[in-house]
Amino acid sequence: MKIKRRRWKIVKDQPITEMDRIIMNYENHGRLVPTRELIKTPEQIEGIRESGKINTAVLDLVAANIHEGMSTEEIDKLCYDYTVEHGAIPACLNYEGFPKSVCVSINEEVCHGIPSPDVKLEEGDIVNVDYTTIKDGYFADASRMFIIGKTTPEKEQLVRVAKECLEIGMEAAAKPYCFVGDIGNAIQNHAHKHGYGVVRDLCGHGVGLKFHEEPEVCHYGRKGDGMLIVPGMVFTIEPMINMGTWKVFVDADNKWTVVSDDYKPSAQWEHTFLMTDHGLDIITY
């Protein structure tokens, strides 16, 4: 008979903690639990916070400067220059061949839009700017939506509801020992209430020591599904909400930009979070 290996390991020569007992109980009942490697140490958390400060400052800088007529290449330069001036690295630059420092996705582009001097922001555009920073080996990740000038009521509502989806996902994870599925279920229900699609091909993720870690944080699903979220875990919630279908495709020309299948607009907001003994702490936004 094959013995199933436990994901949660007890630290040798250390007393069993209350957190150990809670996690082992869930694992004994067949639930997916984290590995101990996903629990960040105080030193690692401090490093991720420092990276998060730069990441948030970059998006603040974009917010202060983004305007009609600006090229997406100019946004990339703003992000790159600020990051390196503060002793950090843009995580996206050359990541698996991605050619720029930041993802700038406009209207029907869901994510991974590649900055270009030829793409200029226009009145009415809704724009997602998604940025990840590496500082002293620690990663922090966030994205925001921007509306260029005046747009349609339909686009305004999409941007607002996408932000509400993030906030509702946060509420679903307000206390430790919830499940990833609780987050996805809450987001899906809110988006569907407005007739929107929730992208399924991309998800939130653990982050901190690497760009992408466990768990996958899907933005749809059932309560109680997915990994148990415990104190010390760092992860993103980043729902991608489409005005139409949830289905997407990848641009065949650049092999990166994800586009809504029906070419209807898409919106996304993202924060990086630390789960503490008392609930979520926002690391970067």
Side-chain angles (χ1 to χ4, degrees), residues 1-276:
M1 179 177 168
K2 189 175 180 180
I3 298 175
K4 187 177 179 180
R5 290 187 177 181
R6 299 189 69 94
R7 283 176 59 88
W8 187 255
K9 309 289 187 184
I10 301 301
V11 178
K12 188 177 180 181
D13 299 325
Q14 294 290 325
I16 295 177
T17 67
E18 181 62 20
M19 188 168 93
D20 288 329
R21 292 190 179 93
I22 293 171
I23 295 172
M24 288 190 296
N25 182 58
Y26 276 112
E27 189 168 24
N28 289 339
H29 286 83
R31 313 310 292 271
L32 178 62
V33 302
T35 61
R36 190 171 287 277
E37 288 72 26
L38 294 179
I39 311 305
K40 306 303 191 277
T41 67
E43 180 184 8
Q44 290 167 344
I45 290 168
E46 184 56 33
I48 297 166
R49 286 192 191 281
E50 290 303 309
S51 183
K53 289 176 184 176
I54 296 173
N55 203 81
T56 296
V58 167
L59 291 177
D60 287 344
L61 183 65
V62 172
N65 287 276
I66 196 167
H67 61 269
E68 182 183 358
M70 186 181 203
S71 74
T72 53
E73 177 85 4
E74 290 176 80
I75 295 173
D76 185 80
K77 188 175 188 308
L78 272 180
C79 296
Y80 176 85
D81 288 350
Y82 185 95
T83 302
V84 298
E85 285 167 7
H86 288 79
I89 301 168
C92 285
L93 187 59
N94 299 320
Y95 175 76
E96 295 187 355
F98 190 82
K100 297 293 183 177
S101 299
V102 63
C103 298
V104 183
S105 307
I106 304 171
N107 297 324
E108 72 277 2
E109 295 174 347
V110 176
C111 61
H112 303 162
I114 301 175
S116 166
D118 300 323
V119 178
K120 305 288 179 68
L121 302 182
E122 298 179 359
E123 175 90 8
D125 283 342
I126 59 172
V127 185
N128 178 264
V129 178
D130 188 348
Y131 198 66
T132 306
T133 305
I134 311 171
K135 170 68 171 170
D136 299 328
Y138 295 105
F139 292 73
D141 187 6
S143 79
R144 299 184 198 172
M145 292 298 300
F146 301 98
I147 297 174
I148 307 304
K150 184 174 176 59
T151 194
T152 65
E154 291 79 13
K155 284 185 178 179
E156 281 187 357
Q157 177 177 278
L158 177 67
V159 171
R160 185 185 72 250
V161 171
K163 190 171 187 180
E164 291 170 356
C165 283
L166 171 60
E167 292 164 350
I168 284 167
M170 291 166 56
E171 291 172 7
K175 294 181 180 179
Y177 309 110
C178 61
F179 290 90
V180 164
D182 302 347
I183 298 170
N185 182 260
I187 289 170
Q188 180 179 16
N189 288 342
H190 188 66
H192 286 183
K193 188 165 64 178
H194 292 273
Y196 296 150
V198 180
V199 173
R200 298 187 173 202
D201 295 47
L202 302 113
C203 59
H205 51 89
V207 69
L209 307 185
K210 300 177 184 176
F211 201 154
H212 300 100
E213 305 173 14
E214 287 190 292
E216 289 190 347
V217 181
C218 294
H219 304 110
Y220 66 96
R222 298 184 303 177
K223 285 184 178 181
D225 281 355
M227 188 178 290
L228 183 71
I229 301 176
V230 309
M233 291 175 68
V234 178
F235 58 95
T236 71
I237 302 175
E238 48 182 298
M240 286 153 265
I241 308 300
N242 291 351
M243 192 178 286
T245 178
W246 61 266
K247 296 180 180 179
V248 298
F249 67 92
V250 177
D251 186 296
D253 291 330
N254 67 36
K255 306 295 191 298
W256 274 103
T257 306
V258 178
V259 181
S260 63
D261 204 51
D262 53 10
Y263 292 96
K264 290 184 178 180
S266 183
Q268 177 195 23
W269 297 81
E270 174 187 11
H271 294 348
T272 293
F273 300 97
L274 166 68
M275 180 59 81
T276 74

